[in-house]
Amino acid sequence: MPWKPSVDGEIPTLGYEVLDWITAALAAPDHADYVPFVPYREQEDFILRWYALDPDTGRRRYSRGVLGRPRGWGKSPLLAAIACVEAMGPVVPDGWDAAGQPVGTPWSRVRTPWVQLAAVSEEQTRNTWAPVLEMLRAEAPVHDLVRGLEPMESFVALPNRGRMESITSSARTVKGARAVFAVLDQSEEWVPSNGGVKLATTMRSNAAKVGGTTLESPNAFIPGEGSVAEESAAFHDAILSGRSRDDGLLYDHRESPPETDMTDRESLIAGLRVSYGDSSAHPGGCVLHTPPCSPGHVELDRLVATIWDPAQDVQQSRSDFLNQITHASDAWVSGPEWAARVDLGRALAPGDRVVLGFDGSRGRVRGKADATALIGCRIADGYLFEIGVWEQPAGPAGKGWMPNPLEVDRAVREAFESWRVVGFYADPSGWTEHIAKWEAAFGKRLRVKATQGAPITVWPRGKDARVCHYVEQLRVAIVTGECAHDGAPSLTRHVLNARKRHTRTGYLLYKAYPDSPEKIDAAYAAVMAWKARTDALSQGIGRGGGNGKVLVLS
């Protein structure tokens, strides 16, 4: 029988069965006597999404998941509960019942269940493994539901040779262990130097072979470290921007608003209530649901005291408690700074006066082609927007890929048709012929010119001291709020990828390391668009109405 939604827009999920099993079988950790484990409403919502099914095939919708929350939110108990239900509960789709609703069955009906909880150190594995043992304590009802269950100190023996175990990146047997489910705990700490990236790749491959799943639980990562959490965020971005054929990743990361002021108590409490959600304890109950649910376990006043401790590092507090993905020490713009300038309410209208910035691909690094980016900026209010970013697709589709010049040319011409383009600055490297054609086609229409002889071409002999000034101009505009942007994922990723490298006259933008596959081309295109806007304003092409009058800026 096919899936029958009970209400419009409903998505089939095994989550309801999973939640029933969890609350009926498991003990809540950190209690002297038996108390059933009952997830918060926010945690229930995640479980419903994680166990979503494809209504056509009846298969699990997601093969990978990321649950990003701040320290102390309750990730470890929730993941321990999910690991237990994966080992023993109804998580495998088994068709639809007579009412057209999904039915689940345990892995033991399909294959021997093998569940792993992994981290890159013994101390980290205890974060999730300790709650597992508490949930399976002797008086927990799970022992009545699953006969033959034997919790040990380092593993849990399941009936019919099944097994739950904790492992680290030093485990030698992980390659042959085809776990049906694996937790990748604190994946922001999984980096190439400690074997974390290799371990994650191996565990995902193992799960794929048996139709299993993996679930990460990172805190906020530091961009540029190459962690597993950072790679998963990049995969999520690729899905959003249409650069990935696979969309089987459930990405659930929540952080405090970027405008959270850590020196202002009211603002800080409000930000913490967002990042901690239902787990925060406060008189009004939870933030995420109405009517209010019961307050959680996290005392926000204690967090404020910790954050304001003079010995506490500010950036560490942003990562640990606000769950904000901030920046590397040499980042050009931080995540919160950039996020604070997103303005989705500003709509572009036909005929708006805009300027364009273009940075084209010039070569390949380790087989990956540079990106090509066309970024616009409205003169009236300094609104940056993404017109097109052409990047090599992931996987086999990207082999030998190069940007299609016809697509890029069409995007440029459509921009001139859609808006009043008064300036267009482009880096000529690798695109000299195309830029020459654009200069011939549009040069006379441009009121803002790089030079009279070459109205579009900027820095023809490479980046010099002036470019250092242009880069810093845009950074200051972002930090002070003079600049806003559309939040486009590719532009955002390129801006946050950009690193500062100091020169004798300032600094320029570079990738995190020379061979990095992460691109920054859209960031440079934005720099050129912003420079064109600055030149337009200096020539009297002002913010209002386009009457050509000189505007005196305060």
Side-chain angles (χ1 to χ4, degrees):
M1 172 174 289
W3 153 245
K4 289 184 179 180
S6 56
V7 296
D8 290 341
E10 184 180 11
I11 297 174
T13 177
L14 294 175
Y16 294 106
E17 276 194 82
V18 168
L19 287 167
D20 288 344
W21 190 94
I22 286 175
T23 55
L26 303 179
D30 300 324
H31 289 272
D33 299 318
Y34 165 74
V35 175
F37 178 72
V38 180
Y40 294 133
R41 282 277 302 278
E42 178 184 357
Q43 295 173 336
E44 290 180 354
D45 289 346
F46 176 79
I47 287 176
L48 293 177
R49 294 195 305 274
W50 175 236
Y51 287 98
L53 305 179
D54 184 308
D56 296 322
T57 65
R59 297 174 182 169
R60 289 277 295 273
R61 174 70 180 78
Y62 301 107
S63 59
R64 287 176 57 180
V66 173
L67 178 62
R69 292 295 189 275
R71 294 187 187 277
W73 175 84
K75 296 190 299 295
S76 294
L78 179 62
L79 292 171
I82 293 176
C84 289
V85 76
E86 286 281 347
M88 296 170 276
V91 298
V92 179
D94 194 29
W96 317 100
D97 64 16
Q101 295 301 303
V103 176
T105 193
W107 274 108
S108 58
R109 300 284 181 86
V110 180
R111 63 174 61 251
T112 301
W114 196 333
V115 171
Q116 294 178 325
L117 294 89
V120 292
S121 70
E122 295 289 347
E123 182 179 355
Q124 286 182 1
T125 58
R126 285 195 291 271
N127 291 338
T128 307
W129 187 249
V132 166
L133 297 181
E134 290 192 63
M135 288 178 171
L136 302 180
R137 59 196 299 175
E139 58 267 44
V142 66
H143 294 279
D144 296 326
L145 300 175
V146 181
R147 298 294 182 179
L149 181 64
E150 296 183 41
M152 309 290 184
E153 190 63 29
S154 59
F155 70 94
V156 174
L158 304 173
N160 301 319
R161 302 189 308 280
R163 183 182 181 94
M164 297 177 68
E165 63 182 359
S166 63
I167 63 170
T168 68
S169 55
S170 61
R172 296 184 178 182
T173 59
V174 66
K175 190 170 184 179
R178 297 184 177 183
V180 297
F181 175 72
V183 170
L184 283 59
D185 196 21
Q186 292 185 245
S187 59
E188 81 282 0
E189 302 289 345
W190 296 39
V191 294
S193 60
N194 61 23
V197 173
K198 182 178 180 181
L199 175 63
T201 301
T202 302
M203 296 182 77
R204 291 189 192 117
S205 177
N206 289 344
K209 293 173 183 176
V210 295
T213 57
T214 60
L215 182 56
E216 294 177 42
S217 57
N219 299 112
F221 62 84
I222 297 176
E225 290 190 341
S227 66
V228 169
E230 184 175 11
E231 290 182 347
S232 294
F235 179 30
H236 173 63
D237 179 77
I239 293 172
L240 292 179
S241 58
R243 294 179 293 107
S244 175
R245 291 184 176 182
D246 178 25
D247 62 353
L249 170 69
L250 174 61
Y251 192 82
D252 189 332
H253 170 88
R254 192 177 67 246
E255 57 190 64
S256 299
E259 63 270 16
T260 300
D261 184 350
M262 297 184 68
T263 64
D264 179 82
R265 180 180 179 80
E266 183 178 350
S267 176
L268 182 54
I269 287 288
L272 290 170
R273 288 181 66 183
V274 172
S275 62
Y276 280 89
D278 290 4
S279 67
S280 61
H282 51 82
C286 66
V287 184
L288 302 177
H289 300 96
T290 53
C293 58
S294 300
H297 64 279
V298 179
E299 295 289 343
L300 299 187
D301 289 337
R302 294 289 300 274
L303 294 186
V304 171
T306 301
I307 292 169
W308 284 357
D309 186 327
Q312 182 74 15
D313 179 78
V314 174
Q315 288 304 106
Q316 192 66 44
S317 290
R318 285 191 177 276
S319 173
D320 285 352
F321 306 121
L322 303 187
N323 205 37
Q324 290 179 334
I325 299 171
T326 55
H327 59 286
S329 60
D330 58 349
W332 178 45
V333 176
S334 74
E337 287 170 341
W338 181 251
R341 305 305 166 217
V342 176
D343 192 340
L344 302 180
R346 303 194 194 190
L348 288 161
D352 277 352
R353 285 196 203 188
V354 304
V355 289
L356 309 178
F358 175 82
D359 192 80
S361 57
R362 294 175 293 279
R364 307 180 76 85
V365 175
R366 290 190 175 184
K368 187 166 184 177
D370 283 343
T372 293
L374 180 65
I375 304 298
C377 183
R378 185 163 52 197
I379 297 174
D381 56 358
Y383 183 62
L384 286 168
F385 56 96
E386 181 181 306
I387 299 173
V389 176
W390 295 265
E391 290 188 81
Q392 181 173 335
K399 186 175 182 179
W401 179 91
M402 290 296 288
N404 186 335
L406 295 178
E407 290 184 10
V408 178
D409 181 72
R410 182 166 58 249
V412 169
R413 295 180 184 276
E414 288 177 352
F416 274 87
E417 293 173 2
S418 301
W419 306 294
R420 295 173 63 187
V421 179
V422 300
F424 183 11
Y425 286 178
D427 183 345
S429 302
W431 287 74
T432 305
E433 179 183 348
H434 299 86
I435 292 173
K437 292 180 179 178
W438 294 334
E439 287 178 333
F442 306 116
K444 293 182 179 180
R445 296 167 54 178
L446 300 176
R447 297 179 59 187
V448 179
K449 304 176 189 286
T451 65
Q452 288 300 317
I456 296 178
T457 301
V458 295
W459 51 74
R461 286 173 292 279
K463 300 178 178 69
D464 55 24
R466 295 172 300 169
V467 182
C468 297
H469 179 59
Y470 305 156
V471 169
E472 176 63 6
Q473 276 187 322
L474 179 52
R475 188 197 70 81
V476 170
I478 293 168
V479 172
T480 61
E482 182 183 357
C483 167
H485 62 88
D486 64 352
S490 295
L491 174 60
T492 294
R493 177 165 37 82
H494 285 217
V495 167
L496 298 183
N497 284 341
R499 301 287 183 266
K500 295 188 292 187
R501 296 291 184 270
H502 290 277
T503 68
R504 289 183 294 106
T505 56
Y507 68 87
L508 294 172
L509 302 183
Y510 288 85
K511 295 184 289 187
Y513 52 93
D515 290 341
S516 172
E518 304 300 329
K519 303 306 179 185
I520 64 171
D521 307 84
Y524 262 123
V527 168
M528 286 181 275
W530 190 257
K531 170 57 178 169
R533 176 185 184 257
T534 302
D535 290 349
L537 293 175
S538 69
Q539 294 178 32
I541 306 172
R543 300 173 187 264
N547 55 16
K549 295 181 180 179
V550 175
L551 183 68
V552 179
L553 302 178
S554 58

